[in-house]
Amino acid sequence: MIGAGPAGLAVARALAERDLPYTHVERHTAPGGIWDMDNPGSPMYSSAHFISSKTLSGFGGWPMPDHYPDYPSHRQVLSYLRSFADAYGLTDRIEFGTEVRDVDKNSDGTWTVTRADGRSTVHAQVVVCTGSQWHPNIPELPGNFTGEVRHANGYRDATELRGRRVLVVGAGNSGADIACDAARAADHAAISMRRGYWFIPKHVFGRPVDTLSSGGRKMPMWLEQKVFGALLKIIEGDPTRLGLPAPDHRLFETHPVINSVLIHHLRHGDITAKPGIAHTDGTTVHFSDGTSDDFDLILLATGYRHAVPVAQRYFGDEQHPDLYLSVFSREHRGLCGVGFIETNSGAYRLFDLQAQLIAAFVHDGQRGLASADRFAGMIRDDRPDLSAGLKFVASPRHTGYVDSGAYLKHVTKLAKEMGWPTGGRSPVPAVFRYEDAFFADPVVRMGIPGVEYFAHPWMLGPRAAK
């Protein structure tokens, strides 16, 4: 297993739960992946928070603690991931400071993993969990801009923007966050976007927006688009009034931009919305609507390529590898990738589900069970529609994009048919004492006369018991 970010940790737990031997390597000195700002190449910045709520973002058996806010900061997410790794005994099994130089498929179907120091090991399966936000997509600016140009991957803090005229290019979630930093810190700030977006507030009716559609019966997608689209118009009004282009697609047909603050700054004149760049000349940027403005710094929040540096030739298309359920290589048995799925909801639940599929498939395959043969056939031939009827926009990011609800429903049903679990367990069950009887119970029942609660760090959240 390569990588000890959230995807790699989810896979490690699933394998450990089944007592499957594994080797886990990580080039950095600690777990956490992109959420560790000290990890070289991490795209993290000081103001970054989760865009999915804590309620729907934790791993099974290890929820985010109650004292976390609705949308945890990057520091809290990192703490959560490291507590998860420690609680399940994963940290001590990781080879830190170990970079993988190459992955080669052998003639017998096994895989040779070569480290940067030249050491090689052979494995029946390789799971690549290096993530998809390490390789910046850097478009070429038309013209000759003489100011500073850099990708948002290298941005860290709003202090870098003070006293400067800043143009943020791109209105994804990172672009919107950084534009808000610029609105507060820069002398002059603008955000350029080639297309219109649906900006979804983080809270609706006082609740995290992603919890509104979780649980209970769901509306048909076409009706949900109409109802929630109308609600957004009531809450936020007409975005074109703020200089934003109108969305050229229906709601949910692009990756959601979850941000409550950018609209606030646009309304207060702290930042200006601009269309796409036509050309540049010196420090002047000319936009497609005929306007122009001067800037010292252009920050490109233009996304990332899904490059897989250690096994790209086996994964194929770097933007969208042909992986069954965004996990299993169709062409190369024993090769998996977790962390490359593009979807419209919190990823950790999906990583957990994908990890369980991998571990169950390996477990059953080692025992020669029919379920493994059946699933191997599905990897080759099954191509389910996981769009929920959405017509995603034609862009590189949305190639192979899936609807989270459709994905969860389909894979949960599939796992049930296979007899496979869909989520990890708690580190230990909660243990209670009632008079002289001891028993385990997954539900914490506190405040009941005669029941003594034996505390475990898990029950206190990701913080050691005192």
Side-chain angles (χ1 to χ4, degrees):
M1 190 157 40
I2 304 169
L9 295 176
V11 176
R13 177 180 68 164
L15 295 172
E17 284 181 335
R18 293 164 179 79
D19 294 323
L20 294 169
Y22 68 88
T23 299
H24 196 176
V25 298
E26 164 59 48
R27 66 178 182 177
H28 190 40
T29 55
I34 65 170
W35 293 97
D36 183 357
M37 285 182 67
D38 295 328
N39 194 344
S42 165
M44 205 50 57
Y45 46 92
S46 294
S47 60
H49 289 71
F50 246 19
I51 62 166
S52 59
S53 70
K54 69 174 181 184
T55 307
L56 299 178
S57 297
F59 294 121
W62 191 259
M64 290 194 174
D66 288 342
H67 70 268
Y68 272 23
D70 288 342
Y71 294 93
S73 71
H74 68 91
R75 297 176 186 85
Q76 291 170 315
V77 175
L78 179 61
S79 176
Y80 167 79
L81 291 171
R82 290 183 174 173
S83 70
F84 173 82
D86 289 343
Y88 287 91
L90 310 178
T91 306
D92 292 340
R93 300 183 65 173
I94 302 171
E95 297 179 21
F96 291 113
T98 303
E99 184 172 359
V100 172
R101 186 176 70 199
D102 202 5
V103 173
D104 288 298
K105 186 177 182 180
N106 303 316
S107 58
D108 62 355
T110 60
W111 299 86
T112 297
V113 176
T114 304
R115 295 152 177 78
D117 63 5
R119 291 183 299 124
S120 295
T121 50
V122 178
H123 306 271
Q125 294 89 17
V126 172
V127 186
V128 180
C129 303
T130 51
S132 58
Q133 290 185 298
W134 298 99
H135 307 278
N137 175 45
I138 304 178
E140 185 176 349
L141 286 177
N144 179 32
F145 183 73
T146 57
E148 182 184 1
V149 180
R150 57 188 168 108
H151 193 273
N153 177 266
Y155 172 77
R156 289 294 176 268
D157 191 82
T159 57
E160 303 168 24
L161 311 178
R162 288 178 182 163
R164 309 190 75 177
R165 299 169 295 176
V166 179
L167 174 64
V168 177
V169 178
N173 287 289
S174 294
D177 281 350
I178 296 170
C180 292
D181 283 353
R184 289 185 288 261
D187 276 4
H188 175 59
I191 182 169
S192 167
M193 56 190 82
R194 292 181 299 174
R195 71 182 331 143
Y197 293 84
W198 294 87
F199 291 93
I200 301 174
K202 286 193 167 182
H203 291 86
V204 175
F205 306 130
R207 291 178 53 184
V209 67
D210 59 359
T211 66
L212 294 180
S213 61
S214 65
R217 300 186 64 178
K218 287 183 65 70
M219 291 182 284
M221 182 54 69
W222 65 267
L223 182 57
E224 190 172 346
Q225 287 176 300
K226 287 182 177 293
V227 171
F228 197 68
L231 180 62
L232 281 183
K233 290 179 180 178
I234 293 171
I235 294 172
E236 301 291 3
D238 181 5
T240 63
R241 189 175 66 86
L242 303 173
L244 294 168
D248 60 357
H249 55 279
R250 293 190 297 174
L251 186 62
F252 307 135
E253 293 181 346
T254 60
H255 190 72
V257 182
I258 314 293
N259 189 289
S260 299
V261 185
L262 180 59
I263 298 296
H264 166 88
H265 285 301
L266 288 167
R267 286 174 176 154
H268 288 76
D270 302 325
I271 191 167
T272 304
K274 290 289 187 180
I277 296 174
H279 67 279
T280 61
D281 183 11
T283 60
T284 302
V285 176
H286 298 267
F287 298 98
S288 60
D289 63 354
T291 62
S292 62
D293 207 344
D294 292 324
F295 299 97
D296 307 309
L297 169 64
I298 296 179
L299 271 170
L300 301 172
T302 47
Y304 296 83
R305 297 179 291 109
H306 285 195
V308 188
V310 297
Q312 189 68 68
R313 63 188 181 278
Y314 300 112
F315 279 97
D317 184 347
E318 72 173 27
Q319 190 56 44
H320 178 58
D322 185 19
L323 303 176
Y324 178 55
L325 301 177
S326 299
V327 179
F328 301 90
S329 172
R330 294 183 183 275
E331 184 178 355
H332 304 285
R333 182 160 186 169
L335 179 66
C336 299
V338 177
F340 303 104
I341 188 171
E342 284 285 6
T343 187
N344 49 12
S345 185
Y348 287 17
R349 291 187 303 166
L350 302 186
F351 293 168
D352 199 10
L353 180 55
Q354 293 173 335
Q356 295 297 325
L357 288 181
I358 291 172
F361 181 45
V362 172
H363 176 275
D364 288 8
Q366 289 184 354
R367 286 153 182 78
L369 300 180
S371 55
D373 290 335
R374 178 186 172 194
F375 194 71
M378 298 176 75
I379 291 174
R380 291 190 304 270
D381 304 321
D382 187 29
R383 294 185 179 272
D385 179 4
L386 302 175
S387 68
L390 292 168
K391 305 296 183 183
F392 299 114
V393 299
S395 73
R397 180 172 194 173
H398 293 89
T399 302
Y401 200 90
V402 301
D403 174 73
S404 177
Y407 187 95
L408 284 168
K409 181 179 180 180
H410 177 84
V411 179
T412 299
K413 179 182 177 182
L414 173 59
K416 184 177 181 179
E417 292 173 354
M418 293 287 181
W420 294 347
T422 56
R425 300 185 296 268
S426 302
V428 294
V431 179
F432 302 84
R433 183 168 62 196
Y434 182 75
E435 297 178 348
D436 294 327
F438 287 80
F439 60 94
D441 192 321
V443 179
V444 179
R445 295 183 290 178
M446 302 182 68
I448 303 175
V451 176
E452 181 178 351
Y453 169 59
F454 287 77
H456 183 274
W458 172 71
M459 294 301 172
L460 303 179
R463 183 177 293 178
K466 295 182 180 179

